[in-house]
Amino acid sequence: GAGVSQSPSNKVTEKGKDVELRCDPISGHTALYWYRQSLGQGLEFLIYFQGNSAPDKSGLPSDRFSAERTGGSVSTLTIQRTQQEDSAVYLCASRAYTDTQYFGPGTRLTVL
Amino acid sequence: GNSVTQMEGPVTLSEEAFLTINCTYTATGYPSLFWYVQYPGEGLQLLLKATKADDKGSNKGFEATYRKETTSFHLEKGSVQVSDSAVYFCALNRLIGGSQGNLIFGKGTKLSVKP
């Protein structure tokens, strides 16, 4: 079946602009996660959605970052007023009822 | 708190050599433990996992045993191949009220296998 998909695969933006990154989880998966991967910081958790519960936002690095999940499926991660330190690969993962998370291919964000 | 510490690389081996990548963890409760692999130009893939103490996860010739007494989950393979060249990440899942939360990753170990 289809895996987790993310779009765009690459995004280049200018400092100060807003960006939106999209994640389509595996159909039927109730949990959805955003992580980011950068050379300096490794793999960091950002935010977690589980069903209809309030999201766990404990990993968001600043209030410039936000995410929503519509209809329990697609999720959008928004970064406002992007900074150069936001450059990273943003990964989305989804999970069903087991403990295994399945990752998408990521969106590589470059802030000039 | 929760954390994962894994052997820093890079690690370079010859084909058919024995591989060990060390991973230790600190955790609240009894999380599941994972090894994920990232091949060049590809996304993260689950390699193996173990959900409780003394469980052994295995896949593609790789093995790791969940050791509660030493808080370790070392990855081993008896005979590596060039195709095993990748970055390997050890991880645990943060438990929230006993339920699954996010993964906490080690910094990754880059493995290069030479023919």
Side-chain angles (χ1 to χ4, degrees), chain A residues 33 35 37 40-45 48 50 56 58 91 95 97-106, chain B residues 32 34 36 38 42-46 49-51 89 93-94 96 99-107:
Chain A
Y33 304 78
Y35 299 85
Q37 184 174 22
Q41 302 299 322
L43 276 155
E44 303 174 277
F45 162 69
Y48 159 43
Q50 173 63 64
D56 176 357
S58 60
L91 297 171
R95 176 178 62 77
Y97 297 104
T98 69
D99 54 10
T100 301
Q101 296 182 26
Y102 296 88
F103 284 80
Chain B
S32 296
F34 305 83
Y36 278 83
Q38 190 170 36
E42 298 186 17
L44 275 171
Q45 303 175 24
L46 178 68
K49 70 177 184 180
T51 56
F89 294 92
N93 63 335
R94 178 174 70 106
I96 306 171
S99 299
Q100 308 291 332
N102 57 283
L103 291 170
I104 295 171
F105 289 91
K107 292 198 176 295

Side-chain angles (χ1 to χ4, degrees), chain B:
Chain B
N2 298 293
S3 66
V4 176
T5 303
Q6 69 179 95
M7 188 170 112
E8 301 225 0
V11 174
T12 303
L13 295 174
S14 296
E15 208 164 22
E16 300 184 2
F18 184 85
L19 169 71
T20 300
I21 301 178
N22 290 336
C23 172
T24 58
Y25 66 91
T26 59
T28 304
Y30 301 100
S32 296
L33 302 175
F34 305 83
W35 279 99
Y36 278 83
V37 59
Q38 190 170 36
Y39 297 103
E42 298 186 17
L44 275 171
Q45 303 175 24
L46 178 68
L47 179 60
L48 54 84
K49 70 177 184 180
T51 56
K52 62 183 187 298
D54 300 325
D55 268 3
K56 178 186 283 188
S58 61
N59 186 25
K60 300 183 180 179
F62 291 89
E63 293 183 340
T65 301
Y66 191 140
R67 301 282 188 205
K68 192 173 72 170
E69 62 276 11
T70 54
T71 61
S72 65
F73 193 54
H74 305 320
L75 182 68
E76 296 183 335
K77 186 174 185 181
S79 176
V80 294
Q81 305 300 311
V82 172
S83 56
D84 294 327
S85 298
V87 181
Y88 293 81
F89 294 92
C90 185
L92 63 81
N93 63 335
R94 178 174 70 106
L95 298 176
I96 306 171
S99 299
Q100 308 291 332
N102 57 283
L103 291 170
I104 295 171
F105 289 91
K107 292 198 176 295
T109 302
K110 183 174 182 180
L111 170 67
S112 297
V113 180
K114 306 298 185 187

